[in-house]
Structure formats: C-alpha cells, structure tokens
Amino acid sequence: MGKIKKMKAIIVGGSIAGVSCAHSLTLAGWDVLVLEKSSEPPARSPTGAGLGLDPQARTIIKSWLPHPHLLDETTLPLSIDQNQGTDSEKKVTRVLTRDESFDFRAAYWSDIHGLLFNALDPTMFLWGHKFLSFTMSQDESTVKVETLVMETQETIEIHGDLLVAADGCLSSIRKTFLPNLKLRYSGYCAWRGVFDFSGDENSETVSGIKREYPDLGKCVYFDLARDTHSVFYELSNKKLNWIWYVNQPEPELKSNSVTLKVSQEMINKMHQEADTIWIPELARLMKETKEPFLNVIYDCDPLERIFWGNVVLVGDAAHPTTPHGLRSTNMSVLDAEVLGKCLGECGPENLNLGLEEYQRIRLRVVSEQVLYARCLGRIKQGLDRDGVGLEQKHMPFFSGAPLV
Ligand SMILES: Cc1cc2nc3c(=O)[nH]c(=O)nc-3n(C[C@H](O)[C@H](O)[C@H](O)COP(=O)(O)OP(=O)(O)OC[C@H]3O[C@@H](n4cnc5c(N)ncnc54)[C@H](O)[C@@H]3O)c2cc1C
C-alpha cells in the first residue's frame, strides 16, 4: 500500500556523461541501468589522456563522491592560463597572455572515470552491451531498448521510463531524431600523447622541458606557431599531457570513432614536422612519447532541442564540441547535474516538464560555449584572423552556468 513505483532510466554510454548521469539520476530517486559496448570499465586499461576540470564541475563531482578529497588528490592545479607565440625559425617563445587567476585542475581521463564509476553500484552497469535501437510507447511514457550482448551475440530487450543518450559525439540515438545532421569537420586533427616520466625525472628531456616551461604543475601552456598550436600541461603521477592541432583535409573515418589508427609512417612524419615547428625541448618530448594517437576534431552547430518524448541527449551526444574551451567533460558533468535536479524537482509524474527545464537551462549555455570554442580553435589554427580573446576566461559562463 502506498508504494510508489520507482522510475527507471536506461543510459546508453558508460563514459563521463553516462557515469555522471548514473550519479545524478540515482540521487533524484531513479533506478538506473547503464549499457556500454566496451567489454569492461576503462579504468583497467590506460585509456585517454588529460582534461581540465573547472570549479563548478569539481564541486558537483565532489558531491557525488563518498571521499571527495580524492578528487584533489588525483588532480593537479592549473592556476595559470598562458598563451605564448613560437618563432619556428629562431626556436624561441614569447608570452602573449598570462592569466594567473585561472582555477582549473588537470586530470587524467581514466582517473576521473574511475573515481565516478567506483562510487556507483557496479550492478547498475551492463558492459559489453551494444545499444541497437529503441521504440517509444505511443503515449511516450515508456521506452523499449534492443541491445546486443557482445559476448553471446544474442539480442535482448530492456524496458524503462526514460532513455538517456550518453553515446558520444557520433550518437546513434541522436541520428534517429536527426538523420540528416552532419558533424562539422573543424579543418584540423589533433595529435595527442601522454609522456610518462616516473622514475626518469632527471633525464635531459624532462630537465629541458622544465627549464622551458617553468610553471609546469600549475600552468596550462598554449603554444601558438603559424597556422598551428599545441597545448601542454602536467598530470598527476609524473605525466605530461600534450595535444598538437594540425590543419589537414578531412580524413575518412573507418570505424565509429573519432580516434584514427596511426601507422609508424604517420608518426615519423609528425616527428619530423615537430622539429621544424616547435622549440627543441617540446619536439623532443613529442618524439619520445610512446603511442601517440590522432583525433579528428569535429563539432556541430547547436541543436534546437535535446529531448524528444522520453529520450534525452547528454554530453557529447547533445553538443559535439571542439576542445579549445576545455569544456566537454565539464559540460557532461553539468548536463548530468541539471538533468538530475530538474527530474528530481519536477517529480516522476512531470517527466516532460523536467526534460523541458533541462533543455531550457542547458541549451543556451552549451550552444554559446560550442560556438566560442569553435572561434577560439579557428583563430589559434590561423583559419580566422580574430573574433574572440585567447584567454579561457572569456568563455561564456566561465564563472559558472545556471544549475536549476
Ligand atoms: C575511452 C575514452 C577516453 C577519453 N579520453 C579523453 C581524454 O583524455 N581527454 C578528454 O578531454 N576527453 C576524453 N574522452 C572524451 C570525453 O569523455 C568526452 O569528450 C566528454 O567527457 C563527453 O563524454 P561523453 O560521455 O558524452 O562521450 P564519450 O566519452 O565519447 O562516451 C560515449 C560512450 O558511449 C559508448 N557508446 C557509443 N555507442 C554505443 C552503443 N551503441 N552502445 C553502447 N555504448 C555506446 C562509447 O563506448 C563511450 O563509452 C575520452 C572518451 C573515451 C570513451
């Protein structure tokens, strides 16, 4: 008597947006099931690289963790945002802008994912389950999801009250509503790498880089050369994270991923170009980094809506963005928080109202941020002359976005 049925959310995608929604929806009183096609939690393999967390996302993440101090322990401060010009001929740099009131922290992707995932009940997750399709009931109150169990190749049906698309920038759930939407190629790809110097702190490479980048450990460096730029900062556990954006025609994506398979020949060519563009210390670090990888950089014109009936988009599925505003993880965390708060406050009987509130609050913020990051990338890659300031602090809603 009087027992209210708990609403059930099916979340597709167990990356940052998916695990964040698992936290916020559980807190809002929902049952949660996460379907993820990868066969196991990524924290067990050294996936990903670095990302920057803003103060608002950090506060939210801490509120989800049973041991909030772990977030500070696994991240390093980024209290300085510095843009510097590189003269590729003379191989010297000069400071263009320096903001010493920056308040980000540098994190390793798999550390953040691990912190968030480990704070959840693991039975909520179905690993090795690939989402195939869904059908909404006519009154849009329930949803039936078909998923492929990768190990057995059998297809199973799962029923829920809400479908959360956290399936990344190439979202197949988004495609069912917007079949003609094409991502916009930015004009460049990004070489990325993490240089691990644990046990090797006194090597010439490390002492050279610390001499040229004396604020490593508290600064995010943007090096701007002609028609190209790189980003460089330290991560905890003696790791250095770098990203180098290279203008080029759009490569063909052979799989459903924006990370390209790279050949030794492509890596050799990247090493040669690093020597011609960057100061020797940075080029050397890039050349000594094991297994660099290449991301194709896309974004998307802001969507007009991010929910249909009882299906809602979050994270990169809702707003594919270029990475220049250090935003995508922060946006995913905020999407999750706002979604949880809106659904919690409106109650299960007003799901549609809760989703409308989520869309109203988030769409304006993420749309402005995506377009700003696009401008910043185009300026730094020499594709546009001007439009926005180089410093991160000019990002719309930099000092905080509305929550509810
Ligand atoms: C392994 C990995 C490493 C990353 N490393 C970094 C990093 O170092 N720095 C950084 O800034 N960003 C990184 N990112 C991207 C970053 O997580 C996102 O840009 C941002 O946080 C938004 O996250 P998201 O969850 O919306 O999307 P994504 O992180 O792209 O996650 C989408 C998830 O959905 C799953 N998925 C997609 N289709 C299906 C399907 N049909 N069925 C089931 N599951 C599906 C994918 O396997 C993936 O786990 C990484 C992403 C991944 C997946």
Side-chain angles (χ1 to χ4, degrees), residues 57-58 93 141 170 173 201 256 264 299 303 331 339-340 368:
R58 295 201 307 272
T93 59
S141 68
L170 300 172
I173 298 175
E201 284 146 60
N256 198 30
Q264 192 53 47
D299 68 7
L303 305 186
M331 285 179 177
L339 180 63
E368 286 189 34

Side-chain angles (χ1 to χ4, degrees), residues 12-18 35-38 47-51 109 129-131 166-169 172 192 314-317 328-329 332:
V12 175
S15 179
I16 303 289
L35 306 177
E36 168 54 55
K37 65 180 176 181
S38 313
T47 26
L51 53 90
W109 182 90
H129 282 58
K130 185 177 179 184
F131 161 89
D167 53 345
C169 69
S172 53
R192 307 183 60 177
V314 294
D316 280 2
S328 52
T329 298
S332 298

Side-chain angles (χ1 to χ4, degrees), residues 243-262:
I243 310 170
W244 174 16
Y245 297 94
V246 181
N247 293 345
Q248 62 174 81
E250 182 176 1
E252 195 188 330
L253 290 186
K254 296 228 164 72
S255 64
N256 198 30
S257 163
V258 293
T259 301
L260 289 182
K261 274 212 159 64
V262 292

Side-chain angles (χ1 to χ4, degrees), residues 53-55 58 77-82 97-105 218-220 391-394 398-399:
L53 288 176
D54 70 19
R58 295 201 307 272
L78 287 179
S79 53
I80 306 168
D81 163 23
Q82 180 158 313
T97 68
R98 183 174 166 94
D99 174 8
E100 297 194 3
S101 57
F102 199 52
D103 182 19
F104 273 46
R105 287 188 79 88
K218 59 179 178 186
C219 178
V220 51
E391 291 166 301
Q392 292 294 327
K393 67 180 176 194
H394 302 303
F398 179 76
S399 49

Side-chain angles (χ1 to χ4, degrees), residues 354-389:
L355 294 175
E356 260 176 29
E357 263 306 273
Y358 162 72
Q359 173 173 281
R360 187 185 65 77
I361 293 171
R362 289 303 290 156
L363 204 52
R364 185 167 68 100
V365 175
V366 296
S367 302
E368 286 189 34
Q369 293 186 330
V370 166
L371 294 177
Y372 189 91
R374 179 187 291 183
C375 281
L376 199 51
R378 290 188 61 79
I379 289 170
K380 290 186 172 181
Q381 288 302 101
L383 298 168
D384 278 337
R385 284 219 165 271
D386 57 5
V388 295

